[in-house]
Amino acid sequence: MKLFKKIIAILMILVSLISLAISLFLVFQLWKNQSMLSEKLVDGLTAASGTLTTTGEGLTVVNDTLSNASKSISALSDTTLTLADNVDKTGTTIDSFSTLFSEEIPTTITNTQAAIISAQTSAAVIDGVLTGLSGVPLIGLEYNPEQSLSASLGQVATSLDPLPSAIKGIGDDLGATGTSLDTLKTDIEGISGDVSAISKNLVDAQDVVSQYQKQIDQLIETIDQTVDQAPTYIRYAVLALTFVLVWLMVAQAGLLAQGFHLLTS
């Protein structure tokens, strides 16, 4: 029985000593590496801030592209409305309208579509960056749209596909004959409605981009503030962990004392 008690006492002493050594080692490492931890945290936050800044610049480019495309589409909508009114009043300018519909308007739509497709590429990169950043808990970015910005722009670009051929067909009709102006007026008004809907989609996309820009600006501001306070946060964390380890060391010292008492009793 005494032998068993001695074995238990020795095990308690050994476990206590090893635990005390580990705790002391951890406390030493915490205070030794405090500066390094602060530097790594600051570097990580600075990198995140730089990524967000680049993303914000990309959103600015996308927003400018959408703004230019929206202006072109709005101008096109105004042009088709004016044309519909002119067709209703007179057919004397059919030849000039034929040129407008056969060449100028399809070219404008094609150029606008190319600009939107270019913006879609940038938006896809931005969507990827925001999705990646949303997975980092420290940043706090919530990015889970029902439909990505690049997909929305893709729909807008796709919706432009039928317009050039449809408008060119109207131009061919105008060049071939000046009759059936009532039917022609109805077709033009239908195209004008389609163009107006596309213009609204572009405005909605601009609103989404603006919201993303505001979120990114707020995140950059928050991260910059966190960078300034990072050493303080690390110091508090080290103090808290030191307190826990010291508390554990006290418990381990008690276990050590019990072991010696059991060994000598």
Side-chain angles (χ1 to χ4, degrees):
M1 185 66 179
K2 290 182 178 180
L3 178 62
F4 178 74
K5 286 184 178 181
K6 287 184 179 181
I7 294 173
I8 295 299
I10 292 172
L11 289 175
M12 290 175 64
I13 292 171
L14 288 176
V15 171
S16 299
L17 290 174
I18 293 173
S19 299
L20 283 170
I22 293 174
S23 298
L24 285 172
F25 176 76
L26 290 176
V27 170
F28 174 76
Q29 289 296 322
L30 280 173
W31 287 96
K32 176 184 177 181
N33 297 313
Q34 178 182 347
S35 298
M36 182 189 68
L37 292 173
S38 297
E39 291 176 1
K40 286 186 176 296
L41 178 59
V42 169
D43 291 343
L45 292 174
T46 301
S49 179
T51 301
L52 287 173
T53 299
T54 302
T55 302
E57 293 173 353
L59 285 174
T60 299
V61 173
V62 172
N63 193 43
D64 291 341
T65 302
L66 290 175
S67 178
N68 293 332
S70 179
K71 291 177 182 178
S72 298
I73 292 296
S74 296
L76 178 59
S77 178
D78 294 339
T79 299
T80 53
L81 286 175
T82 301
L83 182 58
D85 183 63
N86 289 336
V87 169
D88 186 49
K89 294 178 180 178
T90 179
T92 57
T93 57
I94 287 180
D95 290 338
S96 62
F97 287 152
S98 176
T99 300
L100 178 66
F101 272 79
S102 298
E103 300 176 6
E104 297 178 5
I105 293 179
T107 300
T108 299
I109 294 175
T110 301
N111 293 337
T112 299
Q113 188 177 32
I116 294 174
I117 292 173
S118 176
Q120 183 185 9
T121 302
S122 300
V125 175
I126 292 169
D127 283 332
V129 171
L130 292 176
T131 299
L133 289 175
S134 66
V136 180
L138 181 62
I139 295 178
L141 174 64
E142 295 183 2
Y143 181 74
N144 188 22
E146 294 182 1
Q147 186 177 50
S148 65
L149 179 60
S150 60
S152 298
L153 293 179
Q155 289 182 352
V156 173
T158 301
S159 66
L160 289 172
D161 287 341
L163 288 180
S165 59
I167 294 176
K168 188 176 183 302
I170 293 175
D172 294 339
D173 291 339
L174 285 171
T177 180
T179 60
S180 303
L181 292 181
D182 290 339
T183 301
L184 180 59
K185 175 177 175 293
T186 301
D187 291 340
I188 295 173
E189 289 176 340
I191 291 175
S192 177
D194 293 338
V195 171
S196 297
I198 293 170
S199 179
K200 182 180 181 303
N201 290 337
L202 288 173
V203 172
D204 292 341
Q206 283 183 277
D207 290 339
V208 172
V209 171
S210 297
Q211 292 174 5
Y212 290 161
Q213 286 178 312
K214 290 180 181 178
Q215 279 191 337
I216 287 176
D217 291 340
Q218 292 173 354
L219 283 172
I220 291 174
E221 182 179 355
T222 300
I223 289 176
D224 290 342
Q225 293 174 353
T226 305
V227 168
D228 295 335
Q229 298 296 325
T232 302
Y233 295 153
I234 291 296
R235 188 179 304 111
Y236 287 155
V238 169
L239 287 172
L241 290 174
T242 300
F243 175 80
V244 173
L245 289 171
V246 169
W247 182 80
L248 290 175
M249 289 168 63
V250 171
Q252 292 157 5
L255 182 62
L256 180 63
Q258 290 179 4
F260 277 114
H261 176 73
L262 184 61
L263 183 64
T264 57
S265 63

